[in-house]
Amino acid sequence: MLEMKKLDLERNLKKTNNELAKLNRELAGHMVTLASQTGDTQPLIQAVNALRSAQELYSIDHMPRENAEVQQSLGDTLLKLGRANHDTDALEHAVEAYRGAITIASMIGDETMRKALKKNYGLARSLLGNRSATQSLFSAA
């Protein structure tokens, strides 16, 4: 009987974590949309935090494609704002967002997405003048 309750609690925890991760991912997506409409980078910081929370709730082998898509949107928005405003901080965060999305795309086996992400990642790095900088293992994935 005690084992059954423990198993039920573990299932409920997993379900709750998945729902919370989904809500955090959706929040990040809305923050990216807000930032792209207003040009304000503050929502992007909130998006980064929401994505980190979502990723902490998922195991690496169950990371959904949607997380990569939101990270890609985040990187695209940061790249656009960084480029338009000559904002080095935004460009650096775009690089980080692309790295995360590349890692997820590699883990889920989406080669087409990974190649597109690497192209934008390279653009953001070139705008920063970091073409010759050493890549992390994940960014080279």
Side-chain angles (χ1 to χ4, degrees), residues 39-59:
D40 184 11
T41 57
Q42 187 60 37
L44 298 175
I45 294 168
Q46 292 172 324
V48 169
N49 292 333
L51 280 174
R52 281 190 189 130
S53 295
Q55 289 172 342
E56 288 172 7
L57 296 168
Y58 278 111
S59 64

Side-chain angles (χ1 to χ4, degrees), residues 11-118:
R11 280 189 206 133
N12 286 339
L13 177 61
K14 184 175 181 176
K15 181 180 176 185
T16 302
N17 281 348
N18 286 339
E19 289 173 12
L20 186 56
K22 181 181 176 187
L23 289 172
N24 277 313
R25 186 178 62 241
E26 288 174 5
L27 174 63
H30 291 301
M31 292 294 104
V32 169
T33 301
L34 177 63
S36 67
Q37 292 172 349
T38 64
D40 184 11
T41 57
Q42 187 60 37
L44 298 175
I45 294 168
Q46 292 172 324
V48 169
N49 292 333
L51 280 174
R52 281 190 189 130
S53 295
Q55 289 172 342
E56 288 172 7
L57 296 168
Y58 278 111
S59 64
I60 289 177
D61 55 338
H62 290 93
M63 185 105 23
R65 176 185 172 78
E66 291 87 4
N67 282 25
E69 291 169 348
V70 172
Q71 287 227 13
Q72 180 178 18
S73 293
L74 178 60
D76 292 346
T77 303
L78 285 163
L79 176 60
K80 178 182 174 184
L81 292 174
R83 190 179 213 178
N85 300 324
H86 304 287
D87 184 341
T88 303
D89 194 40
L91 291 171
E92 288 171 352
H93 284 89
V95 167
E96 292 302 316
Y98 286 132
R99 280 183 186 153
I102 290 167
T103 300
I104 296 169
S106 295
M107 290 181 339
I108 63 174
D110 190 331
E111 187 64 21
T112 303
M113 177 184 246
R114 190 181 76 77
K115 285 182 180 180
L117 288 163
K118 286 190 69 134

